[in-house]
């Protein structure tokens, strides 16, 4: 089974920075896209950022210009650099990988890491 393990969350003051990491137990080449999602209490899980196989990226409007997604294929790791953090960014952040399998799309998820932005 493919495992995704997030790390790097924590408590930070508004305006601060964090870098999340997602370590994948298999080559990330198996995914045609990888991304970060987040879910705050009472909210739906939402896409934060994604990077496709061809390195194209997409960001939620709320994080555009503040967050950067990147990947290191050699380390099978995806990162989310978060700068200028706001209290509204508080959520559990999940790593996601999308793969085609037997003609259909399969989603893989990490366990999540808590990010809390508070003064």
């Amino acid at each position: 089974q493919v495992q995704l393990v997030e790390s790097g969350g924590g408590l930070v003051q508004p305006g601060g920075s964090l870098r999340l990491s997602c370590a994948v137990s298999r080559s990330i080449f198996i995914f045609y896209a990888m991304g970060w999602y987040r879910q705050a209490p009472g909210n739906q899980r939402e896409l934060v950022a994604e990077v496709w196989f061809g390195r194209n990226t997409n960001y939620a409007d709320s994080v555009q210009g503040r967050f950067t997604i990147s990947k290191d294929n050699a380390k099978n790791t995806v990162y989310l650099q978060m700068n200028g953090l706001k209290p509204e960014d508080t959520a559990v952040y999940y790593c996601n990988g999308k793969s085609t399998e037997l003609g259909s799309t399969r989603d893989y998820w990490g366990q999540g890491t808590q990010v809390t932005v508070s003064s």
Side-chain angles (χ1 to χ4, degrees), residues 8 18 44 53 56 65 70 81 83-86 97 100 102 113:
L18 286 173
Q44 296 265 74
F53 182 81
N56 292 329
S70 62
Q81 179 67 46
N83 298 324
L85 284 162
K86 304 175 180 179
T100 56
L102 298 177
T113 185

Side-chain angles (χ1 to χ4, degrees), residues 8-20 38 48 62-68 80-91 93 114-119:
L11 174 64
V12 65
Q13 292 187 336
S17 298
L18 286 173
R19 188 174 79 153
L20 306 183
R38 67 186 181 188
V48 177
S62 59
V63 307
Q64 187 77 243
R66 299 188 296 120
F67 291 10
T68 303
L80 184 68
Q81 179 67 46
M82 305 185 293
N83 298 324
L85 284 162
K86 304 175 180 179
E88 306 93 274
D89 296 319
T90 296
Y93 285 70
Q114 177 71 47
V115 172
T116 302
V117 185
S118 177
S119 58

Side-chain angles (χ1 to χ4, degrees), residues 29-51:
F29 290 148
I30 66 173
F31 300 122
Y32 67 84
M34 294 197 70
W36 289 92
Y37 292 69
R38 67 186 181 188
Q39 187 167 23
N43 292 349
Q44 296 265 74
R45 187 173 296 187
E46 64 176 353
L47 174 68
V48 177
E50 63 181 354
V51 57

